[in-house]
Amino acid sequence: MSLLALRFRCATVARLSCRISTSSIVRAPDEPPKPPRPIDDSTSALDYKRAQHIRPPPLPVSDVPRSRTAEEAVTNILYNTPPPSLQPFKKHILNCLVQNEPGVLSRVSGILAGRGFNIDSLVVCRTEIRDLSRMSIVISGQDSVVEQARRQLEDLVPVWAVLDYTDTNVISRELLLVKVSILGPEYLEDQFVGGPSHEPRRGVPTHEPSSKLEKETLLAQNFERGGHPEQTHSAHSSPSSQNHTHAHAHTPIPLTPSEALRLKHQHLQSISALVLQFGGKVVDISDNSVIVELTAKTSRVNAFLSLVKPFGILESARTGLMAMPRTPLARSLDENDDITDENGVIDASLLPPG
């Protein structure tokens, strides 16, 4: 009898333990998902700036004194307007460390827009610390105006610090993704009509866009058409005989399959050689185009785009500029002595005669 009671008790304990372990692993269906851990309040940035408060240096000198014309002097007296600045415009790289919270980007861009800056590029991403994000902003402006904007940005509550990397040795990189045609520029317009596959299709012949507005409109239409492959190109009314003859003069001759294969192979080899020289890589190859990935400086990215433009650029996307300051090397005492000797007085006996 005692043996049966012991077996019954063991089975009950095993059943209860299995139920407890199952309930701890499987979540009840009615239990809502838990939100992520909240981010710390942005007042910690204020505490940091109060602790590290250092009187900022004076602003850069606006202009070299110059003589004003009579018209400028009268305008200054009547409307109390300052004379136009003569400082040159140059590129500035601002690096901001901000609190990772909603609305920071709009406040930063609002201050820059209020001072008339156009943001050339902007990169925002979370750092290794979950509550902090890093912004790399590239703008063009005068030194004094940019310095005033930098100080205004630093006064924002969620901003920890703002650094200007303009006169600093930095490593700057930019990422480029570009889709290049391997059929050639003659079939570029037909590939735009083909949708996402960029298969060359003959649409209604149109004239070559000449103005800037026509080029921008064509780019926007091709971008929208690439996201909707099910929409076919609507047929228009037949053009006049003069326009039809003019369009036939610019229509490329249809290629045989062997000619198209040979042409694709030649263009792909040329594009791959350019990519290899610039240190990029081909990340996608399709029937009519390739996608190239390149990480380099802005000037090198611009040079690569100008070299692949004759092949026919179907799409391109670029990230903003990311910058990080270089770490200076520690010099030894011997190197410092050599530098001092080089910059010191030169022994006349070591000079050549004459």
Side-chain angles (χ1 to χ4, degrees), residues 32-201:
K34 295 181 179 180
R37 182 171 58 88
I39 298 174
D40 293 342
D41 191 68
S42 60
T43 54
S44 54
L46 280 177
D47 299 336
Y48 169 79
K49 285 185 282 190
R50 289 195 190 102
Q52 304 291 331
H53 180 68
I54 301 175
R55 187 174 183 180
L59 290 173
V61 180
S62 299
D63 277 326
V64 179
R66 64 181 181 90
S67 58
R68 300 181 185 178
T69 61
E71 184 179 357
E72 290 177 354
V74 172
T75 304
N76 189 17
I77 294 173
L78 294 179
Y79 304 103
N80 196 19
T81 56
S85 177
L86 297 180
Q87 280 187 340
F89 285 79
K90 63 180 182 180
K91 185 177 74 172
H92 291 260
I93 303 174
L94 300 181
N95 207 286
C96 311
L97 191 65
V98 301
Q99 197 76 18
N100 188 11
E101 65 180 23
V104 179
L105 180 59
S106 61
R107 297 178 68 178
V108 170
S109 60
I111 286 182
L112 296 177
R115 287 194 165 269
F117 288 110
N118 181 34
I119 300 178
D120 297 335
S121 70
L122 174 65
V123 179
V124 187
C125 190
R126 195 170 66 183
T127 60
E128 67 276 6
I129 302 176
R130 181 177 178 270
D131 298 332
L132 296 181
S133 294
R134 190 167 182 167
M135 292 185 183
S136 295
I137 308 172
V138 179
I139 56 177
S140 296
Q142 298 168 328
D143 292 342
S144 58
V145 183
V146 172
E147 177 61 21
Q148 291 176 356
R150 188 197 69 80
R151 295 185 182 185
Q152 274 190 305
L153 292 176
E154 210 167 37
D155 289 340
L156 293 176
V157 173
V159 176
W160 286 68
V162 182
L163 300 178
D164 191 352
Y165 285 163
T166 305
D167 299 325
T168 308
N169 288 330
V170 295
I171 298 294
S172 59
R173 291 294 180 266
E174 186 177 350
L175 176 64
L176 167 71
L177 289 177
V178 57
K179 184 182 291 185
V180 186
S181 170
I182 57 176
L183 293 179
E186 300 88 358
Y187 300 89
L188 189 62
E189 297 298 328
D190 297 337
Q191 285 184 272
F192 282 143
V193 180
S197 63
H198 296 296
E199 181 184 356
R201 298 177 186 173

Side-chain angles (χ1 to χ4, degrees), residues 14-15 19 24 29 41 95 103 152 158 200 218 232 237 257 299 345 349:
R15 192 179 300 110
R19 185 179 302 172
S24 61
D41 191 68
N95 207 286
Q152 274 190 305
L218 180 61
T232 57
S237 58
S299 58
V345 180
S349 61

Side-chain angles (χ1 to χ4, degrees), residues 5-26:
L6 182 61
R7 287 181 178 177
F8 179 75
R9 186 178 299 173
C10 293
T12 305
V13 171
R15 192 179 300 110
L16 287 175
S17 62
C18 181
R19 185 179 302 172
I20 291 173
S21 62
T22 306
S23 62
S24 61
I25 296 174
V26 180

